[in-house]
Amino acid sequence: MRRVWLLLLPVLFLGAFPSIFSKNVTSRPAAVNVGAVLAFDSTIGRVAKIAIEEAVKDVNSNSSILPGTKLVVTKQNTNCSGFFGMVEVLQFMKTDVVAILGPQSSVVAHIAGLVASELQVPLLSFAATDPTLSFLEFPYFVRTTQSDLNQMSAVAELVDYYNWKEVTAIYLDDDYGRNAVSALNDKLAERRCKISYKVGIPPGPAKRSDIMDILVKVALMESRVIVLHVTPESGFMVFSVARYLTMMGNGYVWIATDWLSSVLDSASPLSSETRESLQGVLVLRQHTADSDKKRAFASRWNRLTGGSPGLNSYGLYAYDSVWLVAHALEAFFQQGGVLSFSNDSRINSTGSGGLHLEELSIFNNGPLLLKNILQTSFVGLTGPFQFNSDRCLIHPAYDIINVVGTGSRRIGYWSNYSGLSTLPPEQLYERAPNRSSQQLYGVIWPGETLSKPRGWVFPNNGKQLRIGVPDRVSFRQFVSKVRGTDNMFKGFCIDVFVAAVNLLPYAVPYQFFPFGNGSANPSYTELVNLITTGFFDAAVGDIAIVTNRTTIVDFTQPYAASGLVVVAPFRKLNTGAWAFLRPFTPRMWIVTGVFFLVIGSVIWILEHRTNDEFRGPPRQQLMTILWFSFSTLFFAHRENTASTLGRIVLIIWLFVVLIINSSYTASLTSILTVQQLSSPIKGIDSLIKGDEPIGFQVGSFAEHYLTKELGISRSRLRPLGSPDAYAKALKDGPGKGGVAALVDELPYVELFLSSQCSFRIVGPEFTKSGWGFAFPRDSPLAVDLSTAILALSENGDLQRIHDKWLMQTSCSSDSAEIESDRLHLKSFWGLFLVCGIACFIALFIYFLQILHQLYHTAPAESAPDGSSSSRSKRVQRFLSLMDEKEDPSKRSKKRKVEGVPSENDRDSNPDRDNRRRQMGIQDEQQSSATIA
């Protein structure tokens, strides 16, 4: 390679203003020279050579393109050598070619791209797929095939489709392989996948011993998904050695790039041994649209070659590349372009000696031809042939093939437009892009199984999982280190983990490592952070699944419910002499009493004019209002309601009284029959509003939640390290340096209260979470352990483990309950609102009736000067109408018209009538005196 760069050194430093001598200037010549650099003995070269020859024949026989001009393509053999390929490119630069087809090799394309850019000769490669061959660096390089960037996108989407997270990459260690694998790593990262191990195969003839060493290392790795991006020669040796090492059996996934599909499409029938080593492999092939033109050319190809070599996608792109040059030249000549070449005098001044670099020619109109190449659009054998703004072919797509038996079957397609699909991309281009419904047909995997491989195993390199376990000093029933040992633990969490691992269909080598100093509970957040740094491979223990932890690690399915609760001391309440007042709050008592008086007053107003029972002396009427109001509490009122409005109001009020009475009875019964416990702390809301100190467990996430989420000042928090510290702090209280309440996770609290009967949980659980085992992001072991934990829960083993370690004593089952809240006004305001609205409407209608009667019966008299005396008389008249008794004869007539018997008809008691008449006379006399 050093010799190649020395050869190119004079060319790479051409100046901007050379001394130019033009030659071979013509407008439309009789022939146009185009070069082709191929490896005649390679899989791609054998097919491309024939395809280019057939394309030249078709172009020269077509009178509609390049009329009068013959397209001449001179082919040179690189012998599969990068050095000779570069030399052949330089040789073409001395023959006044307008374009070069090739090279096949991405390595040669990098060097040839520099030469072509300096000499302004377009370089059209139908096989160099290296994604780093950018037009920004190589402006005269034109890729007439798909880039490996698209192929690696297809591989990454395939990996993500089957929910694999890690792959192993085996690649050819040159520009072609390294840059493609780098693109694969980027595309996998976009889907939260990664290359866990990659290894390169040296270019050149592959040695079986080298391949053996590589695959032995791969077999020791965790990932069983292997992406193979190499040449056919080394690729088939990899599969042969893999079969020898039993790496083509169950559990393995092999994904080969399009190097294998080009061989399967073009090579003679493979040997049975080679076929056997390819069973179950997934292969990508560049997709070319099916068309009549393509089928006709395939038929012509078979007649020409007899099917050997077969036609592959690279041959189709080579054919279309010739037509691309032809169309671009036709446009070039139509625009007045001429073939003009010149030499740079500075090359002569470099003293190239026997290299004859002075013979290299610059194509003066190369920029115009390049422009026409990029703007050309036609329909070729591969489908629509057109470049986008990035100088890449439009509509990149790949077929996904499964090698089965003596042939292969297509299980779907990939395109950058719609992802994976069982429909051809041409049908999907007509629809809106939709990647939500990815679908492929079934695959027969290595080992002739239809079950999707898991894609990973525990590595066979002797490495054990480093599992961090918190070294707790309190609540050791959950997890604790066995005394006298360094790496042995016991407890509820440990037993759950061991039971779940035993359910896995594979062995998991692991070792526990303590985390913490042994004198205080460690910080669980720090333990989880050590997983992200790689210090621990997992963490097992009573680890709460909270938001800030789930962003950096993956958790298994929760194996224990957890959440923060408030624990506070309590005192037992005695019923006492005034226990009957406790069901309602003071505000509820006041509002209820006020409504009793309001309802009595409203009923009196509505009944006063028509009902004798609501008439009489003022003292008697006041007593009637009070008696009627409170007697409705027991539905014992004796007064009848005569008016319609009064009856409506009374019905609604009696319904309200029924609800209040029932609620009071139920609450009072509970108070007198169930032991009541009282605490000044009612829940987390009480703690937020107050300023008392709050206790929390050392190492728990409760501290972070209280300060960051609830906004409680850190100065109010008191760290507590053991159940004894809990009890002492709660008993001492804020006055003696203790705490008013304790906030901790429910499992700890339940275990604490099982032996401490002086405290209780107050309020509801105000967070919902659980305990799980922590693993690195996208760890497949987390998924499998989650399934195992669900199995433990379903078969009852999880409950048995819980009962073994966390059996509660009788104290925890004490039937005493914390005092429930009293009945508040907010529970009944709807009833009072309805009743109040009914009263307002009834009074409004009643006063409208009075006003109507006032304006129809008032004498037409007014003061001459409109003074206040007239208004005073109207007010007196209004009050008089409200107080005067309505004529019974009018009501009787009205009721008879309506078919309702009058009061006289219903009640003919003469003593009662005389008594009512006397009461009415007294009432009118007193009302008249009051008005006067």
Side-chain angles (χ1 to χ4, degrees), residues 402-419:
N402 183 205
V403 179
V404 181
T406 59
S408 59
R409 54 190 288 267
R410 184 168 50 208
I411 63 170
Y413 305 87
W414 175 89
S415 70
N416 70 335
Y417 183 77
S418 58

mmCIF file with all atom_site columns, all heavy atoms in Angstrom, residues 402-419:
data_model
loop_
_atom_site.group_PDB
_atom_site.id
_atom_site.type_symbol
_atom_site.label_atom_id
_atom_site.label_alt_id
_atom_site.label_comp_id
_atom_site.label_asym_id
_atom_site.label_entity_id
_atom_site.label_seq_id
_atom_site.pdbx_PDB_ins_code
_atom_site.Cartn_x
_atom_site.Cartn_y
_atom_site.Cartn_z
_atom_site.occupancy
_atom_site.B_iso_or_equiv
_atom_site.pdbx_formal_charge
_atom_site.auth_seq_id
_atom_site.auth_comp_id
_atom_site.auth_asym_id
_atom_site.auth_atom_id
_atom_site.pdbx_PDB_model_num
ATOM 1   N N   . ASN A 1 402 ? -34.199 -17.203 3.616  1.00 0.00 ? 402 ASN A N   1
ATOM 2   C CA  . ASN A 1 402 ? -33.880 -18.264 4.565  1.00 0.00 ? 402 ASN A CA  1
ATOM 3   C C   . ASN A 1 402 ? -33.397 -19.480 3.773  1.00 0.00 ? 402 ASN A C   1
ATOM 4   O O   . ASN A 1 402 ? -34.124 -20.018 2.942  1.00 0.00 ? 402 ASN A O   1
ATOM 5   C CB  . ASN A 1 402 ? -35.125 -18.608 5.387  1.00 0.00 ? 402 ASN A CB  1
ATOM 6   C CG  . ASN A 1 402 ? -34.878 -19.650 6.460  1.00 0.00 ? 402 ASN A CG  1
ATOM 7   O OD1 . ASN A 1 402 ? -35.800 -20.340 6.874  1.00 0.00 ? 402 ASN A OD1 1
ATOM 8   N ND2 . ASN A 1 402 ? -33.654 -19.781 6.944  1.00 0.00 ? 402 ASN A ND2 1
ATOM 9   N N   . VAL A 1 403 ? -32.141 -19.889 4.028  1.00 0.00 ? 403 VAL A N   1
ATOM 10  C CA  . VAL A 1 403 ? -31.586 -21.048 3.324  1.00 0.00 ? 403 VAL A CA  1
ATOM 11  C C   . VAL A 1 403 ? -32.161 -22.315 3.948  1.00 0.00 ? 403 VAL A C   1
ATOM 12  O O   . VAL A 1 403 ? -31.999 -22.556 5.158  1.00 0.00 ? 403 VAL A O   1
ATOM 13  C CB  . VAL A 1 403 ? -30.049 -21.059 3.406  1.00 0.00 ? 403 VAL A CB  1
ATOM 14  C CG1 . VAL A 1 403 ? -29.491 -22.279 2.684  1.00 0.00 ? 403 VAL A CG1 1
ATOM 15  C CG2 . VAL A 1 403 ? -29.474 -19.778 2.809  1.00 0.00 ? 403 VAL A CG2 1
ATOM 16  N N   . VAL A 1 404 ? -32.847 -23.113 3.132  1.00 0.00 ? 404 VAL A N   1
ATOM 17  C CA  . VAL A 1 404 ? -33.513 -24.322 3.608  1.00 0.00 ? 404 VAL A CA  1
ATOM 18  C C   . VAL A 1 404 ? -33.294 -25.422 2.581  1.00 0.00 ? 404 VAL A C   1
ATOM 19  O O   . VAL A 1 404 ? -33.525 -25.212 1.377  1.00 0.00 ? 404 VAL A O   1
ATOM 20  C CB  . VAL A 1 404 ? -35.024 -24.097 3.824  1.00 0.00 ? 404 VAL A CB  1
ATOM 21  C CG1 . VAL A 1 404 ? -35.677 -25.370 4.331  1.00 0.00 ? 404 VAL A CG1 1
ATOM 22  C CG2 . VAL A 1 404 ? -35.266 -22.964 4.791  1.00 0.00 ? 404 VAL A CG2 1
ATOM 23  N N   . GLY A 1 405 ? -32.873 -26.598 3.034  1.00 0.00 ? 405 GLY A N   1
ATOM 24  C CA  . GLY A 1 405 ? -32.724 -27.739 2.142  1.00 0.00 ? 405 GLY A CA  1
ATOM 25  C C   . GLY A 1 405 ? -31.728 -27.462 1.032  1.00 0.00 ? 405 GLY A C   1
ATOM 26  O O   . GLY A 1 405 ? -30.617 -26.983 1.246  1.00 0.00 ? 405 GLY A O   1
ATOM 27  N N   . THR A 1 406 ? -32.163 -27.755 -0.194 1.00 0.00 ? 406 THR A N   1
ATOM 28  C CA  . THR A 1 406 ? -31.294 -27.540 -1.350 1.00 0.00 ? 406 THR A CA  1
ATOM 29  C C   . THR A 1 406 ? -31.528 -26.190 -2.005 1.00 0.00 ? 406 THR A C   1
ATOM 30  O O   . THR A 1 406 ? -30.941 -25.904 -3.055 1.00 0.00 ? 406 THR A O   1
ATOM 31  C CB  . THR A 1 406 ? -31.544 -28.645 -2.387 1.00 0.00 ? 406 THR A CB  1
ATOM 32  O OG1 . THR A 1 406 ? -32.926 -28.628 -2.785 1.00 0.00 ? 406 THR A OG1 1
ATOM 33  C CG2 . THR A 1 406 ? -31.192 -30.010 -1.810 1.00 0.00 ? 406 THR A CG2 1
ATOM 34  N N   . GLY A 1 407 ? -32.377 -25.371 -1.418 1.00 0.00 ? 407 GLY A N   1
ATOM 35  C CA  . GLY A 1 407 ? -32.662 -24.065 -1.988 1.00 0.00 ? 407 GLY A CA  1
ATOM 36  C C   . GLY A 1 407 ? -32.805 -23.010 -0.918 1.00 0.00 ? 407 GLY A C   1
ATOM 37  O O   . GLY A 1 407 ? -32.171 -23.079 0.140  1.00 0.00 ? 407 GLY A O   1
ATOM 38  N N   . SER A 1 408 ? -33.637 -22.052 -1.190 1.00 0.00 ? 408 SER A N   1
ATOM 39  C CA  . SER A 1 408 ? -33.876 -20.964 -0.244 1.00 0.00 ? 408 SER A CA  1
ATOM 40  C C   . SER A 1 408 ? -35.292 -20.453 -0.449 1.00 0.00 ? 408 SER A C   1
ATOM 41  O O   . SER A 1 408 ? -35.910 -20.659 -1.506 1.00 0.00 ? 408 SER A O   1
ATOM 42  C CB  . SER A 1 408 ? -32.866 -19.832 -0.441 1.00 0.00 ? 408 SER A CB  1
ATOM 43  O OG  . SER A 1 408 ? -32.954 -19.316 -1.763 1.00 0.00 ? 408 SER A OG  1
ATOM 44  N N   . ARG A 1 409 ? -35.809 -19.790 0.569  1.00 0.00 ? 409 ARG A N   1
ATOM 45  C CA  . ARG A 1 409 ? -37.149 -19.218 0.500  1.00 0.00 ? 409 ARG A CA  1
ATOM 46  C C   . ARG A 1 409 ? -37.111 -17.794 1.032  1.00 0.00 ? 409 ARG A C   1
ATOM 47  O O   . ARG A 1 409 ? -36.405 -17.489 1.992  1.00 0.00 ? 409 ARG A O   1
ATOM 48  C CB  . ARG A 1 409 ? -38.160 -20.050 1.300  1.00 0.00 ? 409 ARG A CB  1
ATOM 49  C CG  . ARG A 1 409 ? -37.760 -20.282 2.731  1.00 0.00 ? 409 ARG A CG  1
ATOM 50  C CD  . ARG A 1 409 ? -38.662 -21.293 3.415  1.00 0.00 ? 409 ARG A CD  1
ATOM 51  N NE  . ARG A 1 409 ? -39.964 -20.733 3.673  1.00 0.00 ? 409 ARG A NE  1
ATOM 52  C CZ  . ARG A 1 409 ? -40.312 -20.138 4.812  1.00 0.00 ? 409 ARG A CZ  1
ATOM 53  N NH1 . ARG A 1 409 ? -39.412 -20.006 5.795  1.00 0.00 ? 409 ARG A NH1 1
ATOM 54  N NH2 . ARG A 1 409 ? -41.514 -19.670 4.994  1.00 0.00 ? 409 ARG A NH2 1
ATOM 55  N N   . ARG A 1 410 ? -37.859 -16.936 0.382  1.00 0.00 ? 410 ARG A N   1
ATOM 56  C CA  . ARG A 1 410 ? -37.916 -15.533 0.800  1.00 0.00 ? 410 ARG A CA  1
ATOM 57  C C   . ARG A 1 410 ? -38.966 -15.398 1.893  1.00 0.00 ? 410 ARG A C   1
ATOM 58  O O   . ARG A 1 410 ? -40.127 -15.776 1.712  1.00 0.00 ? 410 ARG A O   1
ATOM 59  C CB  . ARG A 1 410 ? -38.257 -14.642 -0.392 1.00 0.00 ? 410 ARG A CB  1
ATOM 60  C CG  . ARG A 1 410 ? -38.229 -13.156 -0.063 1.00 0.00 ? 410 ARG A CG  1
ATOM 61  C CD  . ARG A 1 410 ? -38.277 -12.336 -1.334 1.00 0.00 ? 410 ARG A CD  1
ATOM 62  N NE  . ARG A 1 410 ? -39.354 -12.764 -2.207 1.00 0.00 ? 410 ARG A NE  1
ATOM 63  C CZ  . ARG A 1 410 ? -39.339 -12.643 -3.541 1.00 0.00 ? 410 ARG A CZ  1
ATOM 64  N NH1 . ARG A 1 410 ? -38.291 -12.115 -4.139 1.00 0.00 ? 410 ARG A NH1 1
ATOM 65  N NH2 . ARG A 1 410 ? -40.363 -13.047 -4.267 1.00 0.00 ? 410 ARG A NH2 1
ATOM 66  N N   . ILE A 1 411 ? -38.550 -14.830 3.044  1.00 0.00 ? 411 ILE A N   1
ATOM 67  C CA  . ILE A 1 411 ? -39.478 -14.676 4.171  1.00 0.00 ? 411 ILE A CA  1
ATOM 68  C C   . ILE A 1 411 ? -39.993 -13.248 4.291  1.00 0.00 ? 411 ILE A C   1
ATOM 69  O O   . ILE A 1 411 ? -40.823 -12.956 5.160  1.00 0.00 ? 411 ILE A O   1
ATOM 70  C CB  . ILE A 1 411 ? -38.805 -15.092 5.485  1.00 0.00 ? 411 ILE A CB  1
ATOM 71  C CG1 . ILE A 1 411 ? -37.617 -14.178 5.792  1.00 0.00 ? 411 ILE A CG1 1
ATOM 72  C CG2 . ILE A 1 411 ? -38.382 -16.539 5.441  1.00 0.00 ? 411 ILE A CG2 1
ATOM 73  C CD1 . ILE A 1 411 ? -37.041 -14.377 7.186  1.00 0.00 ? 411 ILE A CD1 1
ATOM 74  N N   . GLY A 1 412 ? -39.502 -12.351 3.438  1.00 0.00 ? 412 GLY A N   1
ATOM 75  C CA  . GLY A 1 412 ? -40.002 -10.978 3.492  1.00 0.00 ? 412 GLY A CA  1
ATOM 76  C C   . GLY A 1 412 ? -39.054 -10.018 2.817  1.00 0.00 ? 412 GLY A C   1
ATOM 77  O O   . GLY A 1 412 ? -38.106 -10.410 2.125  1.00 0.00 ? 412 GLY A O   1
ATOM 78  N N   . TYR A 1 413 ? -39.350 -8.741  3.031  1.00 0.00 ? 413 TYR A N   1
ATOM 79  C CA  . TYR A 1 413 ? -38.568 -7.672  2.422  1.00 0.00 ? 413 TYR A CA  1
ATOM 80  C C   . TYR A 1 413 ? -38.242 -6.635  3.492  1.00 0.00 ? 413 TYR A C   1
ATOM 81  O O   . TYR A 1 413 ? -38.912 -6.537  4.531  1.00 0.00 ? 413 TYR A O   1
ATOM 82  C CB  . TYR A 1 413 ? -39.353 -6.979  1.295  1.00 0.00 ? 413 TYR A CB  1
ATOM 83  C CG  . TYR A 1 413 ? -39.872 -7.898  0.226  1.00 0.00 ? 413 TYR A CG  1
ATOM 84  C CD1 . TYR A 1 413 ? -41.111 -8.525  0.357  1.00 0.00 ? 413 TYR A CD1 1
ATOM 85  C CD2 . TYR A 1 413 ? -39.143 -8.132  -0.933 1.00 0.00 ? 413 TYR A CD2 1
ATOM 86  C CE1 . TYR A 1 413 ? -41.603 -9.352  -0.625 1.00 0.00 ? 413 TYR A CE1 1
ATOM 87  C CE2 . TYR A 1 413 ? -39.632 -8.954  -1.930 1.00 0.00 ? 413 TYR A CE2 1
ATOM 88  C CZ  . TYR A 1 413 ? -40.868 -9.571  -1.762 1.00 0.00 ? 413 TYR A CZ  1
ATOM 89  O OH  . TYR A 1 413 ? -41.347 -10.394 -2.749 1.00 0.00 ? 413 TYR A OH  1
ATOM 90  N N   . TRP A 1 414 ? -37.206 -5.870  3.204  1.00 0.00 ? 414 TRP A N   1
ATOM 91  C CA  . TRP A 1 414 ? -36.915 -4.669  4.005  1.00 0.00 ? 414 TRP A CA  1
ATOM 92  C C   . TRP A 1 414 ? -36.737 -3.499  3.044  1.00 0.00 ? 414 TRP A C   1
ATOM 93  O O   . TRP A 1 414 ? -36.096 -3.621  1.981  1.00 0.00 ? 414 TRP A O   1
ATOM 94  C CB  . TRP A 1 414 ? -35.638 -4.804  4.810  1.00 0.00 ? 414 TRP A CB  1
ATOM 95  C CG  . TRP A 1 414 ? -35.283 -3.525  5.534  1.00 0.00 ? 414 TRP A CG  1
ATOM 96  C CD1 . TRP A 1 414 ? -35.683 -3.144  6.773  1.00 0.00 ? 414 TRP A CD1 1
ATOM 97  C CD2 . TRP A 1 414 ? -34.493 -2.436  5.023  1.00 0.00 ? 414 TRP A CD2 1
ATOM 98  N NE1 . TRP A 1 414 ? -35.198 -1.907  7.079  1.00 0.00 ? 414 TRP A NE1 1
ATOM 99  C CE2 . TRP A 1 414 ? -34.458 -1.431  6.014  1.00 0.00 ? 414 TRP A CE2 1
ATOM 100 C CE3 . TRP A 1 414 ? -33.833 -2.205  3.824  1.00 0.00 ? 414 TRP A CE3 1
ATOM 101 C CZ2 . TRP A 1 414 ? -33.787 -0.231  5.856  1.00 0.00 ? 414 TRP A CZ2 1
ATOM 102 C CZ3 . TRP A 1 414 ? -33.160 -1.001  3.648  1.00 0.00 ? 414 TRP A CZ3 1
ATOM 103 C CH2 . TRP A 1 414 ? -33.130 -0.031  4.657  1.00 0.00 ? 414 TRP A CH2 1
ATOM 104 N N   . SER A 1 415 ? -37.304 -2.372  3.412  1.00 0.00 ? 415 SER A N   1
ATOM 105 C CA  . SER A 1 415 ? -37.077 -1.133  2.670  1.00 0.00 ? 415 SER A CA  1
ATOM 106 C C   . SER A 1 415 ? -36.977 0.002   3.675  1.00 0.00 ? 415 SER A C   1
ATOM 107 O O   . SER A 1 415 ? -37.539 -0.077  4.774  1.00 0.00 ? 415 SER A O   1
ATOM 108 C CB  . SER A 1 415 ? -38.209 -0.863  1.667  1.00 0.00 ? 415 SER A CB  1
ATOM 109 O OG  . SER A 1 415 ? -39.408 -0.531  2.334  1.00 0.00 ? 415 SER A OG  1
ATOM 110 N N   . ASN A 1 416 ? -36.273 1.057   3.289  1.00 0.00 ? 416 ASN A N   1
ATOM 111 C CA  . ASN A 1 416 ? -36.155 2.195   4.195  1.00 0.00 ? 416 ASN A CA  1
ATOM 112 C C   . ASN A 1 416 ? -37.443 2.995   4.248  1.00 0.00 ? 416 ASN A C   1
ATOM 113 O O   . ASN A 1 416 ? -37.556 3.943   5.025  1.00 0.00 ? 416 ASN A O   1
ATOM 114 C CB  . ASN A 1 416 ? -34.988 3.097   3.780  1.00 0.00 ? 416 ASN A CB  1
ATOM 115 C CG  . ASN A 1 416 ? -35.270 3.839   2.489  1.00 0.00 ? 416 ASN A CG  1
ATOM 116 O OD1 . ASN A 1 416 ? -36.077 3.386   1.666  1.00 0.00 ? 416 ASN A OD1 1
ATOM 117 N ND2 . ASN A 1 416 ? -34.605 4.959   2.276  1.00 0.00 ? 416 ASN A ND2 1
ATOM 118 N N   . TYR A 1 417 ? -38.415 2.608   3.455  1.00 0.00 ? 417 TYR A N   1
ATOM 119 C CA  . TYR A 1 417 ? -39.691 3.318   3.417  1.00 0.00 ? 417 TYR A CA  1
ATOM 120 C C   . TYR A 1 417 ? -40.663 2.754   4.455  1.00 0.00 ? 417 TYR A C   1
ATOM 121 O O   . TYR A 1 417 ? -41.333 3.520   5.153  1.00 0.00 ? 417 TYR A O   1
ATOM 122 C CB  . TYR A 1 417 ? -40.290 3.209   2.019  1.00 0.00 ? 417 TYR A CB  1
ATOM 123 C CG  . TYR A 1 417 ? -41.580 3.970   1.835  1.00 0.00 ? 417 TYR A CG  1
ATOM 124 C CD1 . TYR A 1 417 ? -41.573 5.350   1.671  1.00 0.00 ? 417 TYR A CD1 1
ATOM 125 C CD2 . TYR A 1 417 ? -42.815 3.310   1.816  1.00 0.00 ? 417 TYR A CD2 1
ATOM 126 C CE1 . TYR A 1 417 ? -42.751 6.060   1.497  1.00 0.00 ? 417 TYR A CE1 1
ATOM 127 C CE2 . TYR A 1 417 ? -43.999 4.010   1.646  1.00 0.00 ? 417 TYR A CE2 1
ATOM 128 C CZ  . TYR A 1 417 ? -43.966 5.379   1.483  1.00 0.00 ? 417 TYR A CZ  1
ATOM 129 O OH  . TYR A 1 417 ? -45.135 6.084   1.324  1.00 0.00 ? 417 TYR A OH  1
ATOM 130 N N   . SER A 1 418 ? -40.709 1.428   4.561  1.00 0.00 ? 418 SER A N   1
ATOM 131 C CA  . SER A 1 418 ? -41.709 0.828   5.446  1.00 0.00 ? 418 SER A CA  1
ATOM 132 C C   . SER A 1 418 ? -41.153 -0.258  6.345  1.00 0.00 ? 418 SER A C   1
ATOM 133 O O   . SER A 1 418 ? -41.918 -0.927  7.038  1.00 0.00 ? 418 SER A O   1
ATOM 134 C CB  . SER A 1 418 ? -42.865 0.251   4.619  1.00 0.00 ? 418 SER A CB  1
ATOM 135 O OG  . SER A 1 418 ? -42.371 -0.701  3.697  1.00 0.00 ? 418 SER A OG  1
ATOM 136 N N   . GLY A 1 419 ? -39.837 -0.478  6.350  1.00 0.00 ? 419 GLY A N   1
ATOM 137 C CA  . GLY A 1 419 ? -39.266 -1.483  7.230  1.00 0.00 ? 419 GLY A CA  1
ATOM 138 C C   . GLY A 1 419 ? -39.515 -2.884  6.723  1.00 0.00 ? 419 GLY A C   1
ATOM 139 O O   . GLY A 1 419 ? -39.507 -3.153  5.518  1.00 0.00 ? 419 GLY A O   1
#
